[in-house]
Amino acid sequence: MPGFEFFGEEEKKEVNEVLETGILMRYGFDGPRKGIWKSKELEEAICKTFGSEYAQLTSSGTAALTTAMAALGVGAGDEVIMPAFTFVASFEAVLSMGAIPVLVDIDESLTLAPDAVKAAITPKTKCIMPVHMCGSMADLDALKEICAQHHLILLEDACQSIGGTYKGKALGTIGDAGTFSFDFVKTITCGEGGVVMTNNKEVYVKSDAFTDHGHDHLGVDRGADLHPFLGYNFRISELHAAVGLGQIRKLATFLAIQKKHNLILRSYLEKVPGIQFRVVPDPAGDSYSFLSWFLPTKEQTEKVIEAMKSAGILAGNFYWYANNWHYIRKWDHLKTAKSLYALSEAQQKALTHLQTANFEKSDAIMSKCISTAISLIWTEEQVHEKGAKFLEVIQAALS
Ligand SMILES: *Cc1c(COP(=O)(O)O)cnc(C)c1O
């Protein structure tokens, strides 16, 4: 997944062009910037690469989710249905809008289970937010149909699946809006950054202003801009956008390497009887940034994790079930609504409800799942060595 592994001359060249002019801000300073507009250039490259009509860069993926929800009109009291397996940013963004995160079960795709989504719909539901975890995608046809039936918004959190597709379209460009994160460990990085993608001009225009204090960007200079509504500062800087430009040009290379390494590793794991792989709703669209696999039981999975640890090969392998950042089981701060500032009563109620909510279905899946992060800098020989070592350690643990 991590583009930082291939940080190099391309990124330095782009950043140096910004440093030459000293104009680190993406708006204004038309004269002194001497025609250097890295953020605009990156937005154009994103539209072209992923087939999105519009793209609005932000300071992070979390800011991108927040911006997308604002532009889509998700706010106080609105319920947003999202998966119990995701990154904390997904519910942080929902809470920051005054909206209510409604966490529901995942299925073997490691993303939203469509029947769990249906069961969670109430008159307050406004938005369904699939999170395309670990490089692959949710069942978007099923979710789109639910959205159409119930007049709901579809917002894709595609922060972890840059370069993945569903039925020929880039993940993040299929819903009413979609987001990527360009934080340091994502498939391509800006250091920090994110983007809102949409094919809806109104959503884009609102996102553009929202990320810059509500500036309409229609004045002859910033001082002459009007403020049609309230906004925040979620701007990206030119330095960060410059890094992203260097990275996006290498994306095709990253994806090709991920696929190659992923498939080699998989060919070893396939030799272990009982190991199954994550369900990918459109197998042709996997970005291959992770290889996610299941052992037959929770006990065997724990045994394999221990064996991998003892053999010194656990790094880069994730047992999300026991992980603080990604699965509801360990989100005590969320379940006890520990907030620095007052949450609404409805938010507090929804969060404390999570203490007793039933996630047995997700537990059964997550407790048997291990995700292996695919590195770009392995040599082909190293991937084979890794695969052989995996096979040896896993088979010994299971025997
Ligand atoms: C990384 C990530 C985000 C947010 O990204 P930041 O840029 O770190 O704010 C949101 N959702 C998911 C699923 C992520 O993995």
Side-chain angles (χ1 to χ4, degrees):
M1 170 148 107
F4 75 79
E5 292 177 323
F6 270 23
F7 188 88
E9 293 309 315
E10 301 88 342
E11 290 82 355
K12 286 183 205 161
K13 177 180 164 287
E14 296 296 329
V15 171
N16 279 332
E17 284 182 21
V18 177
L19 292 177
E20 284 300 319
T21 67
I23 304 303
L24 312 186
M25 182 165 174
R26 69 161 300 177
Y27 297 113
F29 304 91
D30 293 26
R33 69 188 316 133
K34 300 193 178 118
I36 306 281
W37 299 90
K38 295 300 177 193
S39 307
K40 274 191 194 170
E41 217 183 312
L42 179 55
E43 283 166 351
E44 279 160 24
I46 288 168
C47 288
K48 201 157 160 242
T49 305
F50 301 102
S52 179
E53 281 296 318
Y54 306 100
Q56 177 64 42
L57 285 167
T58 56
S59 49
S60 72
T62 313
L65 284 169
T66 309
T67 300
M69 279 186 278
L72 292 164
V74 177
D78 291 330
E79 292 180 356
V80 179
I81 299 178
M82 50 173 282
F85 173 50
T86 179
F87 177 54
V88 290
S90 315
F91 60 71
E92 287 167 356
V94 172
L95 288 170
S96 75
M97 300 312 292
I100 298 169
V102 176
L103 278 72
V104 305
D105 273 323
I106 53 134
D107 60 22
E108 280 82 3
S109 71
L110 302 184
T111 64
L112 275 180
D115 54 350
V117 172
K118 271 189 219 163
I121 291 173
T122 75
K124 291 205 171 128
T125 307
K126 176 96 175 223
C127 174
I128 298 179
M129 185 162 88
V131 185
H132 304 305
M133 284 300 278
C134 305
S136 173
M137 82 292 302
D139 182 347
L140 285 168
D141 278 350
L143 296 176
K144 265 164 74 176
E145 200 182 313
I146 297 171
C147 285
Q149 259 173 17
H150 297 268
H151 308 289
L152 303 174
I153 290 161
L154 185 68
L155 169 58
E156 297 176 79
D157 179 344
C159 290
Q160 282 199 16
S161 55
I162 299 172
T165 59
Y166 180 75
K167 302 196 173 171
K169 286 186 183 163
L171 298 177
T173 68
I174 295 162
D176 296 287
T179 63
F180 288 155
S181 161
F182 302 127
D183 79 20
F184 195 55
V185 295
K186 296 303 204 277
T187 305
I188 51 178
T189 185
C190 291
E192 298 284 1
V195 69
V196 178
M197 294 179 292
T198 182
N199 296 318
N200 180 326
K201 186 170 183 189
E202 202 185 322
V203 172
Y204 163 68
V205 170
K206 286 177 176 170
S207 299
D208 171 60
F210 186 77
T211 55
D212 187 23
H213 304 295
H215 276 270
D216 66 3
H217 298 140
L218 296 175
V220 286
D221 58 46
R222 283 180 75 71
D225 283 349
L226 298 178
H227 302 86
F229 44 76
L230 295 168
Y232 287 99
N233 177 2
F234 290 145
R235 292 188 304 257
I236 195 163
S237 82
E238 285 285 276
L239 291 172
H240 292 90
V243 174
L245 260 183
Q247 288 262 301
I248 199 170
R249 297 189 185 122
K250 298 189 275 194
L251 177 63
T253 309
F254 296 173
L255 293 172
I257 297 171
Q258 278 180 181
K259 181 169 183 178
K260 187 166 103 188
H261 291 177
N262 187 306
L263 291 177
I264 294 173
L265 266 188
R266 181 177 172 128
S267 72
Y268 284 90
L269 290 179
E270 273 169 348
K271 293 178 187 150
V272 184
I275 284 191
Q276 289 191 325
F277 296 89
R278 170 222 200 127
V279 169
V280 179
D282 176 9
D286 197 342
S287 79
Y288 294 101
S289 57
F290 282 86
L291 177 63
S292 294
W293 41 292
F294 302 105
L295 288 140
T297 67
K298 178 182 172 210
E299 292 66 34
Q300 284 172 317
T301 312
E302 287 168 347
K303 234 181 188 175
V304 164
I305 287 289
E306 275 313 306
M308 289 174 82
K309 201 173 181 178
S310 306
I313 58 166
L314 190 61
N317 293 279
F318 299 94
Y319 186 41
W320 308 117
Y321 184 66
N323 174 291
N324 288 338
W325 280 22
H326 288 279
Y327 186 52
I328 187 152
R329 214 171 135 249
K330 296 271 186 167
W331 289 336
D332 290 335
H333 67 313
L334 179 72
K335 291 187 270 190
T336 53
K338 281 245 158 56
S339 172
L340 292 178
Y341 53 91
L343 298 175
S344 75
E345 234 170 86
Q347 287 178 319
Q348 286 186 42
K349 207 172 137 213
L351 297 186
T352 45
H353 165 72
L354 293 172
Q355 293 172 16
T356 51
N358 184 333
F359 289 103
E360 264 171 35
K361 278 192 186 144
S362 303
D363 284 345
I365 293 162
M366 296 310 296
S367 63
K368 296 185 289 191
C369 177
I370 298 174
S371 293
T372 305
I374 303 299
S375 170
L376 301 175
I377 52 175
W378 294 335
T379 64
E380 197 168 330
E381 196 187 349
Q382 283 172 327
V383 188
H384 281 286
E385 279 170 16
K386 239 173 217 303
K389 188 80 188 165
F390 268 35
L391 195 59
E392 181 194 318
V393 170
I394 295 166
Q395 280 177 330
L398 293 182
S399 67

